[in-house]
Amino acid sequence: MNYRHIYHAGNFADCMKHALLVSLLGHFLRKPSPFMVLDTHAGIGRYDLTSEEAEKTQEWKEGIGLLAEEGPDSPLAPWLELVKKAGGPRYYPGSPVLTSLMLRPQDELICCEKHPDDKRKLYGLFTRTPNVFVHERDGYEALRALLPPKTAKRGLVLIDPPFEEPGEFDRLLQAVHTIRARFPTGMIAIWYPIKHRTPIRAFYTALQDAGVSDVLAAELLMRKPVDPDRLNGAGLIVIKPPYGFAEQARAQLNRLKTLLHAEDATVTQITAE
């Protein structure tokens, strides 16, 4: 398979992932010391929702398309303001663009994208942004090469794979081991699809068995996860979440549940600190 996110940009899974990402990054901004973000599966950075591909599926209409009327008091407001700043509603910003809009001069973003065409598009967005670096390489392989960060002691590793090949949860578990060994102070955020519960429960158990502490799971379910051939929901694992993030995540997911007519929204502590 040759995954292209343009078909899914701005859907419910993007909305929950990016709202939570903006909240995570906001915690770094509370201190003046620099931070680094490593985005292992960066994509093209920005998606035209009027494109032929996006119009073919129209998934965005059941996601970002339902959120235009949110006001400044909404728990989703910080993220939605960045969407507008990045060219929304026509253009939907992926995680690299959202992150770049939150960087200060002392912070940096490192993006990995292994598809040459996508990497060129992503690179083109940041040619005049000196603290954003774009690499054409496999995101999992990059963990050993790019960690620990050279310029910051704080940081977030965002892993958002397409789940187009079997064994993705096994690769994620190995990635967690690598990050913890090379960047023990770093925060980790992992996006995953929810089709049915069996592989997700196995991943949770593997994290527990490996002794990974302070693991939080935030999930948005559009319907009960009983059809393994359908994307029924999405989740974000956060390892070493900042203080107060769980409450933020609950507020954001509950608001998304209402606006997107979802089945359920949960925030669960998988392992203790």
Side-chain angles (χ1 to χ4, degrees):
M1 294 176 63
N2 192 9
Y3 180 86
R4 287 295 182 269
H5 191 66
I6 183 59
Y7 291 99
H8 314 290
N11 69 0
F12 80 90
D14 264 1
C15 291
M16 67 84 61
K17 171 178 61 183
H18 293 140
L20 297 178
L21 172 63
V22 168
S23 289
L24 286 173
L25 295 178
H27 285 269
F28 287 115
L29 299 177
R30 296 178 180 180
K31 296 181 180 181
S33 57
F35 69 90
M36 179 277 309
V37 177
L38 173 57
D39 192 336
T40 63
H41 297 74
I44 65 174
R46 191 173 67 164
Y47 302 87
D48 185 350
L49 299 183
T50 67
S51 68
E52 180 181 352
E53 296 90 344
E55 283 297 313
K56 183 176 182 179
T57 59
Q58 297 191 349
E59 289 188 19
W60 65 270
K61 291 187 176 181
E62 300 301 317
I64 191 65
L66 297 176
L67 306 180
E69 303 302 320
E70 279 296 271
D73 295 329
S74 168
L76 304 174
W79 159 61
L80 291 173
E81 284 301 313
L82 292 178
V83 173
K84 293 177 183 177
K85 188 174 182 180
R90 174 175 176 175
Y91 294 100
Y92 183 81
S95 52
V97 169
L98 289 170
T99 301
S100 71
L101 292 173
M102 299 183 73
L103 296 180
R104 304 161 301 183
Q106 67 266 39
D107 308 319
E108 70 177 27
L109 166 64
I110 304 173
C111 302
C112 296
E113 176 50 54
K114 70 177 182 179
H115 293 291
D117 291 343
D118 289 359
K119 181 264 180 180
R120 281 192 288 272
K121 292 177 182 178
L122 184 65
Y123 182 82
L125 291 178
F126 298 121
T127 53
R128 297 184 179 181
T129 311
N131 53 346
V132 177
F133 307 91
V134 178
H135 296 257
E136 183 181 324
R137 67 194 310 171
D138 177 80
Y140 289 124
E141 178 273 331
L143 296 175
R144 293 187 179 278
L146 300 177
L147 295 178
K150 296 181 174 62
T151 59
K153 295 182 180 180
R154 303 188 301 150
L156 168 69
V157 180
L158 174 64
I159 309 178
D160 178 20
F163 281 82
E164 61 183 350
E165 298 176 359
E168 199 71 76
F169 281 113
D170 293 333
R171 285 186 286 276
L172 287 170
L173 183 62
Q174 183 56 54
V176 170
H177 289 315
T178 300
I179 297 165
R180 293 177 74 218
R182 300 187 66 83
F183 188 28
T185 61
M187 191 190 311
I188 307 171
I190 300 171
W191 179 88
Y192 56 94
I194 302 174
K195 295 184 176 181
H196 63 110
R197 280 291 180 196
T198 301
I200 297 167
R201 290 195 186 105
F203 184 52
Y204 291 172
T205 300
L207 290 170
Q208 292 166 346
D209 291 345
V212 181
S213 60
D214 202 7
V215 178
L216 193 76
E219 296 186 345
L220 182 69
L221 282 173
M222 301 306 292
R223 61 196 67 86
K224 296 185 185 302
V226 294
D227 183 352
D229 295 321
R230 191 176 185 187
L231 182 62
N232 298 303
L236 191 75
I237 284 278
V238 182
I239 300 174
K240 298 175 71 69
Y243 177 78
F245 171 73
E247 290 74 19
Q248 285 182 304
R250 287 189 182 94
Q252 291 174 314
L253 292 182
N254 283 331
R255 187 60 181 155
L256 286 172
K257 176 185 173 182
T258 298
L259 296 172
L260 304 184
H261 313 293
E263 171 81 15
D264 199 10
T266 60
V267 177
T268 307
Q269 193 78 36
I270 303 302
T271 65
E273 296 184 36

